[in-house]
Amino acid sequence: MSHEFDIAVIGAGPAGQIAAIAMARGGRKVVLVGPAPDGSDRRTTALMDQSLAMMERLGLWQELRGRTAPLQVMQIIDGTNRLLRAPTVAFRSAEIGLEAFGYNIPNSALLETLSKAVAAEPLITRNTSAADTIHIGTDGVTIGLSGGELVEAAFAIGADGRRSNTRESAGVGVKTWSYPQTAVVMNFAHTLPHQNISTEFHTESGPFTQVPLPGQRSSLVWVVAPPEAERLTSLSAEQLSAEVETRMQSMLGKVSVDDGVQAWPLSGMTAKRYGKGRAAFVGEAGHAFPPIGAQGLNLSLRDIAALEDILIDGGSAPIAADSGDRFDRKRRLDIASRTASVDLLNRSLLSDLLPVQMLRAAGLQVLASLGPLRNLVMQEGVAPGRGLKSLPSLLRKKVGR
Ligand SMILES: Cc1cc2nc3c(=O)[nH]c(=O)nc-3n(C[C@H](O)[C@H](O)[C@H](O)COP(=O)(O)OP(=O)(O)OC[C@H]3O[C@@H](n4cnc5c(N)ncnc54)[C@H](O)[C@@H]3O)c2cc1C
């Protein structure tokens, strides 16, 4: 059966726009459905080495590069008042032969670059209506748009966020869980240079993570209990600047927080399947977790790379009816392991249990002192599988010392 489009991408957030561009670059005729993001997102996204290689391959990195800052050192400081405190651990990208682990990109710059690239791509038809009804059949997909139009495609990529209509229409359930935490997000100027160092303070309420931006500026994700988030977001810019500076022990000098502080309540979600028949669910339509270790969109880019293998590698051949099932099998391990490790790290910060604190402190102590293991963790952080591949040579180096 022939369709007007090979692929309908539903949702025009970062995951949906990148998916549409990747599929079009692979020669597929794409319709990208969904309202344009409203430009209010003040977050920044740290994209790691492997994700940047993909952005570069899709021609998206060159324009963005000047609006981003490299992450060359990532340090973790135990900022808790607990009995057992972990040592400070610093990871340097040069230790694994990289100029930077990744780059920190303001979401506003990312979304601007993506929508320009979408508009310039001849194989993408852009429709800013919402998808009201989605029928996923054995021969194709039919989407009823909010404007009343019908769109037909051979395959649907659901990139329509946590409450994905695509996923629900495919009859796929989710497992959800909540955290007693809210991420307070802001950007700030400081009087001392950050030297491309990102510092994550681990606190009893969650991580407080400063990430470099170009110049003497940084972004901050401060994870706190919901009532504390309310208090922080109601402070004046001067009061909040003083609190940030105190929490950072003035390591970046005087802090001046920008207007527009935002609060993002945290929760976790994973779809019971990541694809089924003629549909796949990417980005937060498939998985969502707290912003620890910059994993969310990086994981979504690996979803999209897996779809490139399944939907493009066959050239212009018709899209197979079981492509969603193949995607599901291909993505299970990576998504499950990232979701579990972020959850474990977050819960270990929240837990007051002494054995949990001992394990966390001991884990960081091992990372601080054991070069090969630290190296492995760094490699896995930038590209899953990369560390394990180099494990034999890392061990040989250690034994040879
Ligand atoms: C505080 C914070 C910091 C973060 N920092 C990082 C980081 O440093 N690195 C990292 O990798 N990740 C990070 N993340 C995660 C990252 O921001 C998310 O993974 C990413 O924004 C999700 O993008 P998405 O496109 O999947 O979903 P969304 O951005 O939610 O986009 C979904 C889109 O679908 C549209 N939509 C919904 N329903 C319909 C419909 N029926 N029809 C059409 N369109 C529809 C919506 O309008 C929306 O535009 C962070 C997250 C948070 C909360």
PDB file of all heavy atoms in Angstrom, residues 10-16 33-35 43-47 107 129-131 159-161 165 183 185 221 264 282-285 291 294-298 300, ligand 1:
ATOM      1  N   ILE A  10       5.311  12.654  15.351  1.00  0.00           N
ATOM      2  CA  ILE A  10       4.302  13.380  16.125  1.00  0.00           C
ATOM      3  C   ILE A  10       4.974  14.006  17.341  1.00  0.00           C
ATOM      4  O   ILE A  10       5.518  13.294  18.190  1.00  0.00           O
ATOM      5  CB  ILE A  10       3.154  12.423  16.528  1.00  0.00           C
ATOM      6  CG1 ILE A  10       2.530  11.855  15.248  1.00  0.00           C
ATOM      7  CG2 ILE A  10       2.105  13.144  17.369  1.00  0.00           C
ATOM      8  CD1 ILE A  10       1.841  10.541  15.430  1.00  0.00           C
ATOM      9  N   GLY A  11       4.972  15.348  17.408  1.00  0.00           N
ATOM     10  CA  GLY A  11       5.655  16.074  18.488  1.00  0.00           C
ATOM     11  C   GLY A  11       6.879  16.778  17.941  1.00  0.00           C
ATOM     12  O   GLY A  11       7.747  16.138  17.333  1.00  0.00           O
ATOM     13  N   ALA A  12       6.935  18.111  18.132  1.00  0.00           N
ATOM     14  CA  ALA A  12       8.043  18.898  17.570  1.00  0.00           C
ATOM     15  C   ALA A  12       8.936  19.470  18.655  1.00  0.00           C
ATOM     16  O   ALA A  12       9.454  20.581  18.539  1.00  0.00           O
ATOM     17  CB  ALA A  12       7.494  19.994  16.658  1.00  0.00           C
ATOM     18  N   GLY A  13       9.114  18.737  19.761  1.00  0.00           N
ATOM     19  CA  GLY A  13      10.132  19.096  20.756  1.00  0.00           C
ATOM     20  C   GLY A  13      11.501  18.717  20.197  1.00  0.00           C
ATOM     21  O   GLY A  13      11.615  18.373  19.007  1.00  0.00           O
ATOM     22  N   PRO A  14      12.557  18.753  21.025  1.00  0.00           N
ATOM     23  CA  PRO A  14      13.880  18.424  20.478  1.00  0.00           C
ATOM     24  C   PRO A  14      13.947  17.012  19.859  1.00  0.00           C
ATOM     25  O   PRO A  14      14.490  16.848  18.756  1.00  0.00           O
ATOM     26  CB  PRO A  14      14.823  18.548  21.678  1.00  0.00           C
ATOM     27  CG  PRO A  14      13.984  18.852  22.864  1.00  0.00           C
ATOM     28  CD  PRO A  14      12.617  19.216  22.412  1.00  0.00           C
ATOM     29  N   ALA A  15      13.367  16.007  20.540  1.00  0.00           N
ATOM     30  CA  ALA A  15      13.470  14.639  20.009  1.00  0.00           C
ATOM     31  C   ALA A  15      12.742  14.529  18.662  1.00  0.00           C
ATOM     32  O   ALA A  15      13.263  13.930  17.706  1.00  0.00           O
ATOM     33  CB  ALA A  15      12.919  13.636  21.016  1.00  0.00           C
ATOM     34  N   GLY A  16      11.541  15.110  18.564  1.00  0.00           N
ATOM     35  CA  GLY A  16      10.755  15.008  17.329  1.00  0.00           C
ATOM     36  C   GLY A  16      11.435  15.700  16.156  1.00  0.00           C
ATOM     37  O   GLY A  16      11.496  15.160  15.042  1.00  0.00           O
ATOM     38  N   VAL A  33       4.401  16.699  12.739  1.00  0.00           N
ATOM     39  CA  VAL A  33       3.136  17.224  13.243  1.00  0.00           C
ATOM     40  C   VAL A  33       3.291  17.690  14.687  1.00  0.00           C
ATOM     41  O   VAL A  33       3.824  16.944  15.509  1.00  0.00           O
ATOM     42  CB  VAL A  33       2.085  16.078  13.205  1.00  0.00           C
ATOM     43  CG1 VAL A  33       0.812  16.480  13.916  1.00  0.00           C
ATOM     44  CG2 VAL A  33       1.811  15.633  11.781  1.00  0.00           C
ATOM     45  N   GLY A  34       2.833  18.904  14.999  1.00  0.00           N
ATOM     46  CA  GLY A  34       2.846  19.341  16.404  1.00  0.00           C
ATOM     47  C   GLY A  34       3.128  20.816  16.504  1.00  0.00           C
ATOM     48  O   GLY A  34       3.834  21.383  15.659  1.00  0.00           O
ATOM     49  N   PRO A  35       2.592  21.466  17.558  1.00  0.00           N
ATOM     50  CA  PRO A  35       2.820  22.906  17.718  1.00  0.00           C
ATOM     51  C   PRO A  35       4.295  23.237  17.902  1.00  0.00           C
ATOM     52  O   PRO A  35       5.036  22.424  18.473  1.00  0.00           O
ATOM     53  CB  PRO A  35       2.022  23.263  18.979  1.00  0.00           C
ATOM     54  CG  PRO A  35       1.556  21.993  19.577  1.00  0.00           C
ATOM     55  CD  PRO A  35       1.766  20.880  18.615  1.00  0.00           C
ATOM     56  N   ARG A  43      15.888  25.940  30.163  1.00  0.00           N
ATOM     57  CA  ARG A  43      16.872  24.910  30.514  1.00  0.00           C
ATOM     58  C   ARG A  43      18.024  24.902  29.509  1.00  0.00           C
ATOM     59  O   ARG A  43      17.952  25.487  28.430  1.00  0.00           O
ATOM     60  CB  ARG A  43      16.217  23.518  30.502  1.00  0.00           C
ATOM     61  CG  ARG A  43      15.215  23.323  31.596  1.00  0.00           C
ATOM     62  CD  ARG A  43      14.507  22.002  31.455  1.00  0.00           C
ATOM     63  NE  ARG A  43      13.792  21.894  30.194  1.00  0.00           N
ATOM     64  CZ  ARG A  43      13.217  20.780  29.746  1.00  0.00           C
ATOM     65  NH1 ARG A  43      13.294  19.674  30.439  1.00  0.00           N
ATOM     66  NH2 ARG A  43      12.569  20.778  28.608  1.00  0.00           N
ATOM     67  N   THR A  44      19.091  24.225  29.891  1.00  0.00           N
ATOM     68  CA  THR A  44      20.173  23.965  28.952  1.00  0.00           C
ATOM     69  C   THR A  44      20.323  22.452  28.889  1.00  0.00           C
ATOM     70  O   THR A  44      19.904  21.752  29.797  1.00  0.00           O
ATOM     71  CB  THR A  44      21.505  24.589  29.413  1.00  0.00           C
ATOM     72  OG1 THR A  44      21.945  23.925  30.592  1.00  0.00           O
ATOM     73  CG2 THR A  44      21.366  26.079  29.675  1.00  0.00           C
ATOM     74  N   THR A  45      20.904  21.960  27.807  1.00  0.00           N
ATOM     75  CA  THR A  45      21.084  20.521  27.650  1.00  0.00           C
ATOM     76  C   THR A  45      22.549  20.234  27.385  1.00  0.00           C
ATOM     77  O   THR A  45      23.134  20.808  26.456  1.00  0.00           O
ATOM     78  CB  THR A  45      20.225  20.013  26.475  1.00  0.00           C
ATOM     79  OG1 THR A  45      18.856  20.244  26.801  1.00  0.00           O
ATOM     80  CG2 THR A  45      20.430  18.524  26.232  1.00  0.00           C
ATOM     81  N   ALA A  46      23.116  19.355  28.211  1.00  0.00           N
ATOM     82  CA  ALA A  46      24.496  18.945  27.955  1.00  0.00           C
ATOM     83  C   ALA A  46      24.442  17.742  27.030  1.00  0.00           C
ATOM     84  O   ALA A  46      23.882  16.707  27.386  1.00  0.00           O
ATOM     85  CB  ALA A  46      25.173  18.591  29.271  1.00  0.00           C
ATOM     86  N   LEU A  47      24.970  17.903  25.823  1.00  0.00           N
ATOM     87  CA  LEU A  47      25.035  16.766  24.900  1.00  0.00           C
ATOM     88  C   LEU A  47      26.447  16.219  24.919  1.00  0.00           C
ATOM     89  O   LEU A  47      27.420  16.974  24.844  1.00  0.00           O
ATOM     90  CB  LEU A  47      24.642  17.183  23.480  1.00  0.00           C
ATOM     91  CG  LEU A  47      23.147  17.416  23.237  1.00  0.00           C
ATOM     92  CD1 LEU A  47      22.895  17.687  21.750  1.00  0.00           C
ATOM     93  CD2 LEU A  47      22.280  16.250  23.702  1.00  0.00           C
ATOM     94  N   ASN A 107      18.592  25.437  25.613  1.00  0.00           N
ATOM     95  CA  ASN A 107      17.507  24.815  24.836  1.00  0.00           C
ATOM     96  C   ASN A 107      16.939  25.784  23.806  1.00  0.00           C
ATOM     97  O   ASN A 107      16.519  25.376  22.715  1.00  0.00           O
ATOM     98  CB  ASN A 107      16.392  24.332  25.775  1.00  0.00           C
ATOM     99  CG  ASN A 107      16.759  23.028  26.462  1.00  0.00           C
ATOM    100  OD1 ASN A 107      17.925  22.625  26.451  1.00  0.00           O
ATOM    101  ND2 ASN A 107      15.791  22.369  27.067  1.00  0.00           N
ATOM    102  N   SER A 129      -0.463  21.576  13.613  1.00  0.00           N
ATOM    103  CA  SER A 129      -1.641  21.115  14.373  1.00  0.00           C
ATOM    104  C   SER A 129      -1.215  20.035  15.353  1.00  0.00           C
ATOM    105  O   SER A 129      -0.161  19.417  15.210  1.00  0.00           O
ATOM    106  CB  SER A 129      -2.667  20.482  13.434  1.00  0.00           C
ATOM    107  OG  SER A 129      -3.045  21.385  12.446  1.00  0.00           O
ATOM    108  N   ALA A 130      -2.089  19.770  16.342  1.00  0.00           N
ATOM    109  CA  ALA A 130      -1.852  18.625  17.234  1.00  0.00           C
ATOM    110  C   ALA A 130      -2.470  17.384  16.607  1.00  0.00           C
ATOM    111  O   ALA A 130      -3.403  17.483  15.801  1.00  0.00           O
ATOM    112  CB  ALA A 130      -2.496  18.900  18.582  1.00  0.00           C
ATOM    113  N   ALA A 131      -1.931  16.214  16.959  1.00  0.00           N
ATOM    114  CA  ALA A 131      -2.512  14.947  16.481  1.00  0.00           C
ATOM    115  C   ALA A 131      -3.610  14.562  17.463  1.00  0.00           C
ATOM    116  O   ALA A 131      -3.324  14.227  18.613  1.00  0.00           O
ATOM    117  CB  ALA A 131      -1.431  13.884  16.424  1.00  0.00           C
ATOM    118  N   ALA A 159       6.957  11.289  19.293  1.00  0.00           N
ATOM    119  CA  ALA A 159       7.920  12.088  20.067  1.00  0.00           C
ATOM    120  C   ALA A 159       7.090  13.137  20.803  1.00  0.00           C
ATOM    121  O   ALA A 159       7.486  14.290  20.929  1.00  0.00           O
ATOM    122  CB  ALA A 159       8.943  12.740  19.138  1.00  0.00           C
ATOM    123  N   ASP A 160       5.907  12.689  21.266  1.00  0.00           N
ATOM    124  CA  ASP A 160       4.938  13.636  21.819  1.00  0.00           C
ATOM    125  C   ASP A 160       4.943  13.669  23.348  1.00  0.00           C
ATOM    126  O   ASP A 160       3.901  13.873  23.973  1.00  0.00           O
ATOM    127  CB  ASP A 160       3.523  13.371  21.255  1.00  0.00           C
ATOM    128  CG  ASP A 160       3.166  11.899  21.150  1.00  0.00           C
ATOM    129  OD1 ASP A 160       4.033  11.055  21.437  1.00  0.00           O
ATOM    130  OD2 ASP A 160       2.023  11.579  20.794  1.00  0.00           O
ATOM    131  N   GLY A 161       6.131  13.485  23.931  1.00  0.00           N
ATOM    132  CA  GLY A 161       6.315  13.740  25.355  1.00  0.00           C
ATOM    133  C   GLY A 161       5.687  12.698  26.273  1.00  0.00           C
ATOM    134  O   GLY A 161       5.174  11.677  25.837  1.00  0.00           O
ATOM    135  N   ASN A 165       0.170  10.654  23.064  1.00  0.00           N
ATOM    136  CA  ASN A 165      -1.055  10.142  22.455  1.00  0.00           C
ATOM    137  C   ASN A 165      -0.710   8.954  21.540  1.00  0.00           C
ATOM    138  O   ASN A 165      -1.468   7.988  21.437  1.00  0.00           O
ATOM    139  CB  ASN A 165      -1.695  11.305  21.656  1.00  0.00           C
ATOM    140  CG  ASN A 165      -3.093  10.983  21.167  1.00  0.00           C
ATOM    141  OD1 ASN A 165      -3.583   9.886  21.374  1.00  0.00           O
ATOM    142  ND2 ASN A 165      -3.716  11.946  20.512  1.00  0.00           N
ATOM    143  N   ALA A 183      13.118  20.323  40.277  1.00  0.00           N
ATOM    144  CA  ALA A 183      14.366  20.931  39.780  1.00  0.00           C
ATOM    145  C   ALA A 183      14.122  22.420  39.572  1.00  0.00           C
ATOM    146  O   ALA A 183      13.243  22.816  38.798  1.00  0.00           O
ATOM    147  CB  ALA A 183      14.783  20.283  38.473  1.00  0.00           C
ATOM    148  N   VAL A 185      15.517  25.663  37.958  1.00  0.00           N
ATOM    149  CA  VAL A 185      16.440  25.863  36.841  1.00  0.00           C
ATOM    150  C   VAL A 185      16.674  27.359  36.630  1.00  0.00           C
ATOM    151  O   VAL A 185      15.715  28.132  36.622  1.00  0.00           O
ATOM    152  CB  VAL A 185      15.826  25.252  35.555  1.00  0.00           C
ATOM    153  CG1 VAL A 185      16.669  25.558  34.338  1.00  0.00           C
ATOM    154  CG2 VAL A 185      15.662  23.751  35.717  1.00  0.00           C
ATOM    155  N   VAL A 221      21.007  23.563  37.715  1.00  0.00           N
ATOM    156  CA  VAL A 221      19.843  22.732  38.034  1.00  0.00           C
ATOM    157  C   VAL A 221      19.968  22.398  39.515  1.00  0.00           C
ATOM    158  O   VAL A 221      20.909  21.705  39.914  1.00  0.00           O
ATOM    159  CB  VAL A 221      19.798  21.445  37.173  1.00  0.00           C
ATOM    160  CG1 VAL A 221      18.600  20.588  37.568  1.00  0.00           C
ATOM    161  CG2 VAL A 221      19.725  21.783  35.687  1.00  0.00           C
ATOM    162  N   TRP A 264      10.770  22.565  37.661  1.00  0.00           N
ATOM    163  CA  TRP A 264      10.346  21.363  36.935  1.00  0.00           C
ATOM    164  C   TRP A 264      10.161  20.218  37.943  1.00  0.00           C
ATOM    165  O   TRP A 264      11.173  19.677  38.443  1.00  0.00           O
ATOM    166  CB  TRP A 264      11.425  20.954  35.901  1.00  0.00           C
ATOM    167  CG  TRP A 264      11.603  21.961  34.819  1.00  0.00           C
ATOM    168  CD1 TRP A 264      12.314  23.118  34.877  1.00  0.00           C
ATOM    169  CD2 TRP A 264      11.048  21.909  33.491  1.00  0.00           C
ATOM    170  NE1 TRP A 264      12.240  23.789  33.680  1.00  0.00           N
ATOM    171  CE2 TRP A 264      11.470  23.067  32.812  1.00  0.00           C
ATOM    172  CE3 TRP A 264      10.244  20.990  32.806  1.00  0.00           C
ATOM    173  CZ2 TRP A 264      11.115  23.335  31.494  1.00  0.00           C
ATOM    174  CZ3 TRP A 264       9.883  21.260  31.497  1.00  0.00           C
ATOM    175  CH2 TRP A 264      10.307  22.421  30.859  1.00  0.00           C
ATOM    176  N   VAL A 282       9.833   7.680  21.033  1.00  0.00           N
ATOM    177  CA  VAL A 282      11.204   8.145  21.308  1.00  0.00           C
ATOM    178  C   VAL A 282      11.170   9.308  22.299  1.00  0.00           C
ATOM    179  O   VAL A 282      10.135   9.935  22.519  1.00  0.00           O
ATOM    180  CB  VAL A 282      11.952   8.568  20.010  1.00  0.00           C
ATOM    181  CG1 VAL A 282      12.011   7.431  19.013  1.00  0.00           C
ATOM    182  CG2 VAL A 282      11.320   9.806  19.384  1.00  0.00           C
ATOM    183  N   GLY A 283      12.333   9.634  22.869  1.00  0.00           N
ATOM    184  CA  GLY A 283      12.424  10.732  23.832  1.00  0.00           C
ATOM    185  C   GLY A 283      11.503  10.457  25.009  1.00  0.00           C
ATOM    186  O   GLY A 283      11.297   9.310  25.413  1.00  0.00           O
ATOM    187  N   GLU A 284      10.918  11.530  25.536  1.00  0.00           N
ATOM    188  CA  GLU A 284      10.113  11.376  26.750  1.00  0.00           C
ATOM    189  C   GLU A 284       8.782  10.673  26.490  1.00  0.00           C
ATOM    190  O   GLU A 284       8.049  10.399  27.436  1.00  0.00           O
ATOM    191  CB  GLU A 284       9.928  12.729  27.433  1.00  0.00           C
ATOM    192  CG  GLU A 284      11.256  13.229  27.977  1.00  0.00           C
ATOM    193  CD  GLU A 284      11.170  14.148  29.186  1.00  0.00           C
ATOM    194  OE1 GLU A 284      10.103  14.750  29.396  1.00  0.00           O
ATOM    195  OE2 GLU A 284      12.183  14.245  29.902  1.00  0.00           O
ATOM    196  N   ALA A 285       8.459  10.346  25.258  1.00  0.00           N
ATOM    197  CA  ALA A 285       7.294   9.488  25.010  1.00  0.00           C
ATOM    198  C   ALA A 285       7.615   8.053  25.453  1.00  0.00           C
ATOM    199  O   ALA A 285       6.718   7.265  25.748  1.00  0.00           O
ATOM    200  CB  ALA A 285       6.929   9.503  23.522  1.00  0.00           C
ATOM    201  N   PRO A 291      17.056  14.867  36.066  1.00  0.00           N
ATOM    202  CA  PRO A 291      18.208  15.380  35.307  1.00  0.00           C
ATOM    203  C   PRO A 291      19.521  15.181  36.065  1.00  0.00           C
ATOM    204  O   PRO A 291      20.100  16.122  36.569  1.00  0.00           O
ATOM    205  CB  PRO A 291      17.881  16.863  35.141  1.00  0.00           C
ATOM    206  CG  PRO A 291      16.999  17.194  36.301  1.00  0.00           C
ATOM    207  CD  PRO A 291      16.257  15.954  36.662  1.00  0.00           C
ATOM    208  N   ALA A 294      23.114  14.322  32.960  1.00  0.00           N
ATOM    209  CA  ALA A 294      22.775  14.717  31.586  1.00  0.00           C
ATOM    210  C   ALA A 294      22.481  13.523  30.686  1.00  0.00           C
ATOM    211  O   ALA A 294      23.159  13.288  29.705  1.00  0.00           O
ATOM    212  CB  ALA A 294      23.920  15.558  30.996  1.00  0.00           C
ATOM    213  N   GLN A 295      21.447  12.769  31.030  1.00  0.00           N
ATOM    214  CA  GLN A 295      21.182  11.542  30.268  1.00  0.00           C
ATOM    215  C   GLN A 295      20.009  11.649  29.287  1.00  0.00           C
ATOM    216  O   GLN A 295      20.008  11.005  28.248  1.00  0.00           O
ATOM    217  CB  GLN A 295      20.892  10.388  31.249  1.00  0.00           C
ATOM    218  CG  GLN A 295      22.076  10.023  32.127  1.00  0.00           C
ATOM    219  CD  GLN A 295      23.205   9.403  31.340  1.00  0.00           C
ATOM    220  OE1 GLN A 295      22.976   8.636  30.416  1.00  0.00           O
ATOM    221  NE2 GLN A 295      24.430   9.759  31.667  1.00  0.00           N
ATOM    222  N   GLY A 296      18.966  12.458  29.623  1.00  0.00           N
ATOM    223  CA  GLY A 296      17.679  12.397  28.913  1.00  0.00           C
ATOM    224  C   GLY A 296      17.743  12.507  27.403  1.00  0.00           C
ATOM    225  O   GLY A 296      17.396  11.565  26.683  1.00  0.00           O
ATOM    226  N   LEU A 297      18.186  13.655  26.890  1.00  0.00           N
ATOM    227  CA  LEU A 297      18.165  13.837  25.438  1.00  0.00           C
ATOM    228  C   LEU A 297      19.260  13.009  24.762  1.00  0.00           C
ATOM    229  O   LEU A 297      19.111  12.577  23.613  1.00  0.00           O
ATOM    230  CB  LEU A 297      18.292  15.329  25.082  1.00  0.00           C
ATOM    231  CG  LEU A 297      17.971  15.668  23.638  1.00  0.00           C
ATOM    232  CD1 LEU A 297      16.535  15.303  23.269  1.00  0.00           C
ATOM    233  CD2 LEU A 297      18.200  17.147  23.357  1.00  0.00           C
ATOM    234  N   ASN A 298      20.344  12.754  25.496  1.00  0.00           N
ATOM    235  CA  ASN A 298      21.400  11.891  24.946  1.00  0.00           C
ATOM    236  C   ASN A 298      20.841  10.493  24.652  1.00  0.00           C
ATOM    237  O   ASN A 298      21.128   9.900  23.613  1.00  0.00           O
ATOM    238  CB  ASN A 298      22.570  11.800  25.935  1.00  0.00           C
ATOM    239  CG  ASN A 298      23.387  13.087  25.961  1.00  0.00           C
ATOM    240  OD1 ASN A 298      24.181  13.325  25.071  1.00  0.00           O
ATOM    241  ND2 ASN A 298      23.162  13.931  26.950  1.00  0.00           N
ATOM    242  N   SER A 300      17.714   9.889  24.056  1.00  0.00           N
ATOM    243  CA  SER A 300      16.764  10.056  22.941  1.00  0.00           C
ATOM    244  C   SER A 300      17.493  10.048  21.595  1.00  0.00           C
ATOM    245  O   SER A 300      16.980   9.535  20.591  1.00  0.00           O
ATOM    246  CB  SER A 300      16.007  11.378  23.088  1.00  0.00           C
ATOM    247  OG  SER A 300      15.496  11.495  24.391  1.00  0.00           O
TER     248      SER A 300
HETATM  249  C1  LIG B   1      15.656  20.368  34.549  1.00  0.00           C
HETATM  250  C2  LIG B   1      16.020  19.462  33.408  1.00  0.00           C
HETATM  251  C3  LIG B   1      17.305  19.471  32.887  1.00  0.00           C
HETATM  252  C4  LIG B   1      17.679  18.587  31.856  1.00  0.00           C
HETATM  253  N1  LIG B   1      18.967  18.577  31.405  1.00  0.00           N
HETATM  254  C5  LIG B   1      19.339  17.681  30.451  1.00  0.00           C
HETATM  255  C6  LIG B   1      20.692  17.594  29.990  1.00  0.00           C
HETATM  256  O1  LIG B   1      21.581  18.338  30.445  1.00  0.00           O
HETATM  257  N2  LIG B   1      21.001  16.678  29.027  1.00  0.00           N
HETATM  258  C7  LIG B   1      20.064  15.837  28.510  1.00  0.00           C
HETATM  259  O2  LIG B   1      20.390  15.004  27.651  1.00  0.00           O
HETATM  260  N3  LIG B   1      18.758  15.903  28.906  1.00  0.00           N
HETATM  261  C8  LIG B   1      18.385  16.794  29.869  1.00  0.00           C
HETATM  262  N4  LIG B   1      17.085  16.853  30.290  1.00  0.00           N
HETATM  263  C9  LIG B   1      16.094  16.014  29.625  1.00  0.00           C
HETATM  264  C10 LIG B   1      15.611  16.680  28.318  1.00  0.00           C
HETATM  265  O3  LIG B   1      15.308  18.028  28.566  1.00  0.00           O
HETATM  266  C11 LIG B   1      14.405  15.951  27.813  1.00  0.00           C
HETATM  267  O4  LIG B   1      14.778  14.616  27.555  1.00  0.00           O
HETATM  268  C12 LIG B   1      13.909  16.568  26.517  1.00  0.00           C
HETATM  269  O5  LIG B   1      13.589  17.899  26.658  1.00  0.00           O
HETATM  270  C13 LIG B   1      12.661  15.837  26.094  1.00  0.00           C
HETATM  271  O6  LIG B   1      12.423  16.168  24.780  1.00  0.00           O
HETATM  272  P1  LIG B   1      11.227  15.475  23.989  1.00  0.00           P
HETATM  273  O7  LIG B   1      11.273  16.058  22.650  1.00  0.00           O
HETATM  274  O8  LIG B   1      11.262  14.000  24.160  1.00  0.00           O
HETATM  275  O9  LIG B   1       9.887  15.914  24.781  1.00  0.00           O
HETATM  276  P2  LIG B   1       9.185  17.340  24.907  1.00  0.00           P
HETATM  277  O10 LIG B   1      10.168  18.433  24.952  1.00  0.00           O
HETATM  278  O11 LIG B   1       8.206  17.186  26.031  1.00  0.00           O
HETATM  279  O12 LIG B   1       8.389  17.493  23.519  1.00  0.00           O
HETATM  280  C14 LIG B   1       7.165  16.858  23.275  1.00  0.00           C
HETATM  281  C15 LIG B   1       6.456  17.663  22.195  1.00  0.00           C
HETATM  282  O13 LIG B   1       5.302  16.922  21.782  1.00  0.00           O
HETATM  283  C16 LIG B   1       4.252  17.854  21.568  1.00  0.00           C
HETATM  284  N5  LIG B   1       2.968  17.121  21.656  1.00  0.00           N
HETATM  285  C17 LIG B   1       2.385  16.582  22.748  1.00  0.00           C
HETATM  286  N6  LIG B   1       1.215  16.002  22.407  1.00  0.00           N
HETATM  287  C18 LIG B   1       1.063  16.179  21.058  1.00  0.00           C
HETATM  288  C19 LIG B   1       0.070  15.796  20.112  1.00  0.00           C
HETATM  289  N7  LIG B   1      -1.032  15.126  20.482  1.00  0.00           N
HETATM  290  N8  LIG B   1       0.238  16.148  18.812  1.00  0.00           N
HETATM  291  C20 LIG B   1       1.356  16.810  18.418  1.00  0.00           C
HETATM  292  N9  LIG B   1       2.334  17.204  19.277  1.00  0.00           N
HETATM  293  C21 LIG B   1       2.192  16.884  20.574  1.00  0.00           C
HETATM  294  C22 LIG B   1       4.432  18.908  22.661  1.00  0.00           C
HETATM  295  O14 LIG B   1       3.807  20.115  22.280  1.00  0.00           O
HETATM  296  C23 LIG B   1       5.965  19.024  22.692  1.00  0.00           C
HETATM  297  O15 LIG B   1       6.439  20.018  21.786  1.00  0.00           O
HETATM  298  C24 LIG B   1      16.703  17.702  31.320  1.00  0.00           C
HETATM  299  C25 LIG B   1      15.391  17.700  31.827  1.00  0.00           C
HETATM  300  C26 LIG B   1      15.050  18.554  32.879  1.00  0.00           C
HETATM  301  C27 LIG B   1      13.626  18.518  33.447  1.00  0.00           C
END
